Amino acid sequence: MPTKTLKDLFIHSLSDIYSAEKQMTKSLPKMARASSSPDLRAAFEKHLEETLGQVQRIDQIVETSEVKLKRVKCVAMEGLVEEGQEQIEEIEKGPVLDTALIAAAQKVEHYEIASYSSLIALARQLGETGAAKLLAETLKEEKATDEALSLLAEEKVAAEAMGK
Ligand SMILES: [Fe+2]
Ligand SMILES: [Fe+2]
């Protein structure tokens, strides 16, 4: 089915982020395992739990509205995941890899923040208030994750500057 209307665009974008979240449920455990810092590992594990809930929220939108998801693969997320995976393979486990993992994860969060912000605006335009509310809950989690990662990055830089 081609994308013609705003509703089509909403369904396409929702299907795309659904694929993105599913990819993250597989990628986050790998990122957690690759982390040396216990705090970073915990942050990835926490976000894995949230991500599983975010997938469920989209399922809920599908169940309660006239929306039927399309089978699409989020190629943007596929690329981000692949770049993160390359770094896991190329960089020895330790503080440098941790820093690379934080950067890779923040790229993912920023992609998700942009995607959910657009989706919420679309949902509101379409009068899909229930969907907009659920998507806003997810957006809040993505923003909080991004902030937590920023904090971890700053703490790590500070600790390393002090020779820890
Ligand atoms: Fe997410
Ligand atoms: Fe996320």
Side-chain angles (χ1 to χ4, degrees), residues 66-83:
E66 298 279 283
V67 167
K68 206 163 168 261
L69 293 184
K70 295 202 253 179
R71 289 181 72 87
V72 293
K73 179 151 205 179
C74 178
V75 289
M77 187 60 84
E78 195 177 27
L80 291 172
V81 165
E82 202 178 302
E83 281 192 8

Side-chain angles (χ1 to χ4, degrees), residues 10 19 42 57 66 71 90 94 104 107 113 116 120 132 145 152-153:
F10 176 71
S19 157
R57 276 192 199 112
E66 298 279 283
R71 289 181 72 87
E90 280 166 19
K107 287 180 189 174
I113 289 167
Y116 280 109
I120 291 163
T145 302
L152 277 173

Side-chain angles (χ1 to χ4, degrees), residues 19 22 31 92 109-110 114 116 122 131 155:
S19 157
K22 285 268 172 113
M31 294 171 88
E92 200 181 309
E109 293 315 312
H110 286 207
Y116 280 109
L122 264 174
E155 279 169 8

Side-chain angles (χ1 to χ4, degrees), residues 10-11 15 34-35 37 41 67 70 92 119 125 130 135 156 159:
F10 176 71
I11 292 170
S15 306
S35 307
S37 149
R41 195 177 317 133
V67 167
K70 295 202 253 179
E92 200 181 309
L119 264 169
Q125 281 184 56
L135 295 169
K156 279 185 62 55

Side-chain angles (χ1 to χ4, degrees), residues 22-110:
K22 285 268 172 113
Q23 291 182 53
M24 283 320 289
T25 62
K26 297 195 188 92
S27 179
L28 281 163
K30 291 181 194 162
M31 294 171 88
R33 276 198 298 275
S35 307
S36 311
S37 149
D39 288 348
L40 183 58
R41 195 177 317 133
F44 286 144
E45 282 165 359
K46 179 179 180 227
H47 199 49
L48 171 62
E49 288 305 311
E50 287 173 337
T51 300
L52 293 167
Q54 294 170 355
V55 170
Q56 282 178 359
R57 276 192 199 112
I58 299 174
D59 286 331
Q60 210 180 321
I61 291 170
V62 171
E63 281 161 24
T64 54
S65 61
E66 298 279 283
V67 167
K68 206 163 168 261
L69 293 184
K70 295 202 253 179
R71 289 181 72 87
V72 293
K73 179 151 205 179
C74 178
V75 289
M77 187 60 84
E78 195 177 27
L80 291 172
V81 165
E82 202 178 302
E83 281 192 8
Q85 191 55 40
E86 273 171 17
Q87 291 190 306
I88 291 174
E89 283 157 23
E90 280 166 19
I91 306 171
E92 200 181 309
K93 209 170 169 177
V96 176
L97 179 58
D98 280 0
T99 304
L101 287 171
I102 292 173
Q106 285 196 285
K107 287 180 189 174
V108 168
E109 293 315 312
H110 286 207

Side-chain angles (χ1 to χ4, degrees), residues 139-160:
L139 177 62
K140 216 168 127 190
E141 289 173 351
E142 309 295 18
K143 284 183 176 168
T145 302
D146 180 47
E147 276 162 29
L149 288 167
S150 286
L151 214 66
L152 277 173
E154 280 166 28
E155 279 169 8
K156 279 185 62 55
V157 170
E160 267 165 41

